Amino acid sequence: MDDLLRIVLADRQGVRVIHREVLDLGQAEREGMRGSPTLLVNGIDPFAEQGSQPSVSCRLFRGEDGQARPAPSKAALVAALVQAGASLSPRLREVLGVDGQRRLAPEERGQRAIQQAVMRSFAATGRPPTTDELARVAAESSTTVSQVLAALHSGDFLRLDEAGCIMAAYPFSALPTRHRVTPAGGVPVFAMCAVDALGIPAMLATDAEIVSTTPDGAEVVVTVRGGCPGAEPSTAVVFVGAGCDAGPAAEVCCDHLNFFTSHADAANWAAAHPDVQGSILGVVEAGRLGRAIFGSLLA
């Protein structure tokens, strides 16, 4: 496996390989090892067979010809790496705002200035700013706060309630959610979803702790240090999905982007919700997704 991996990665840039020695079954369960050797790509075992259990025994891989081998074929390994790099559907990438700067409001009529002022208020205080706090920013663009907020709501850069109050400004939520983020030296804030939670430390260029409750009621704690997230339990993953309906991200996908304690738990949830189309990502890959969406919003 190690020799094959070196061959496949010889002409690939930006791929980091970490070797871990697993000494007992308990560690195998924590690390997601299903026999020796196990390869995790962004925290996911692409060669795991349904029903396979953690193990420290020798492992065999079924080739395209049906024969058992001590490692996957080169073609299978390349396919696994390609799949990891293109695991989100075009529609989901569009809904999330991965491509381009879809989450960054236009500069016209003070929209970007107000958007960034709202996000800075969330980051500093854990709450959205008041209308009076935004009035000066709006006045500099010769407009009113209500007009700018209405435009930002229409463009899905933030969400307003029926009274015109700010409920959310991606990635922040004014209401409690299952995702609480505490930036280093800062105040706790709530994120709209798991990917938004991972995007907050990237956007603020800071370390952070994320405490999230899974849809199953379990707790996942993610510690972000130097831009790299590490999860407890180490088997945690993120399901990234969207419903079939059109509409703002808060309604289409935010409820479907959650941490799970394991790949199996996420897969079981996805199987029970066939109306939600999505992918299961490792926490590191989900962190890169959060950075791609939110990392430059306050630059």
Side-chain angles (χ1 to χ4, degrees):
M1 175 78 87
D2 205 31
D3 292 340
L4 177 63
L5 193 60
R6 275 194 288 269
I7 293 171
V8 170
L9 296 180
D11 58 350
R12 289 176 177 263
Q13 302 296 318
V15 179
R16 186 162 61 110
V17 178
I18 301 174
H19 292 80
R20 293 180 180 171
E21 183 180 11
V22 176
L23 301 177
D24 54 47
L25 184 58
Q27 187 183 0
E29 292 175 345
R30 294 190 299 271
E31 300 283 359
M33 178 179 176
R34 293 175 173 83
S36 177
T38 287
L39 176 72
L40 303 181
V41 184
N42 293 329
I44 303 299
D45 185 344
F47 305 107
E49 297 181 357
Q50 188 169 1
S52 61
Q53 299 297 319
S55 171
V56 293
S57 61
C58 293
R59 180 177 182 177
L60 294 176
F61 299 80
R62 194 69 60 182
E64 290 83 352
D65 56 4
Q67 298 298 311
R69 303 175 180 176
S73 68
K74 180 179 178 181
L77 183 53
V78 170
L81 294 174
V82 171
Q83 175 66 22
S87 54
L88 298 183
S89 68
R91 176 180 180 271
L92 190 52
R93 293 178 67 88
E94 173 64 20
V95 170
L96 293 174
V98 179
D99 301 310
Q101 293 183 311
R102 185 173 179 271
R103 284 284 164 231
L104 186 61
E107 294 185 358
E108 290 79 9
R109 298 181 61 80
Q111 292 184 61
R112 184 175 301 176
I114 291 291
Q115 179 198 28
Q116 293 182 330
V118 171
M119 290 190 292
R120 289 192 176 99
S121 177
F122 270 110
T125 68
R127 62 168 180 80
T130 64
T131 300
D132 290 342
E133 290 171 333
L134 292 175
R136 179 186 59 79
V137 181
E140 292 176 353
S141 300
S142 301
T143 186
T144 66
V145 174
S146 60
Q147 288 175 326
V148 179
L149 291 181
L152 291 172
H153 176 85
S154 178
D156 196 28
F157 298 105
L158 51 72
R159 306 310 299 162
L160 305 175
D161 62 16
E162 294 182 355
C165 297
I166 299 172
M167 295 191 302
Y170 309 106
F172 300 104
S173 172
L175 303 176
T177 68
R178 65 173 76 244
H179 316 285
R180 187 178 76 250
V181 184
T182 305
V187 300
V189 296
F190 288 102
M192 292 292 287
C193 67
V195 172
D196 287 24
L198 291 164
I200 288 174
M203 185 175 69
L204 301 181
T206 185
D207 296 340
E209 180 185 73
I210 301 167
V211 179
S212 180
T213 303
T214 73
D216 303 326
E219 184 177 271
V220 172
V221 179
V222 177
T223 303
V224 181
R225 295 287 182 268
C228 183
E232 178 58 43
S234 61
T235 54
V237 297
V238 178
F239 181 81
V240 180
C244 299
D245 297 333
E251 298 175 8
V252 174
C253 66
C254 282
D255 286 343
H256 308 315
L257 284 76
N258 291 299
F259 290 99
F260 286 87
T261 57
S262 69
H263 187 280
D265 287 343
N268 289 337
W269 186 93
H273 299 80
D275 56 318
V276 180
Q277 300 298 309
S279 301
I280 301 173
L281 307 182
V283 172
V284 172
E285 186 179 7
R288 284 197 288 265
L289 181 60
R291 178 178 294 277
I293 298 170
F294 299 106
S296 63
L297 290 195
L298 289 180

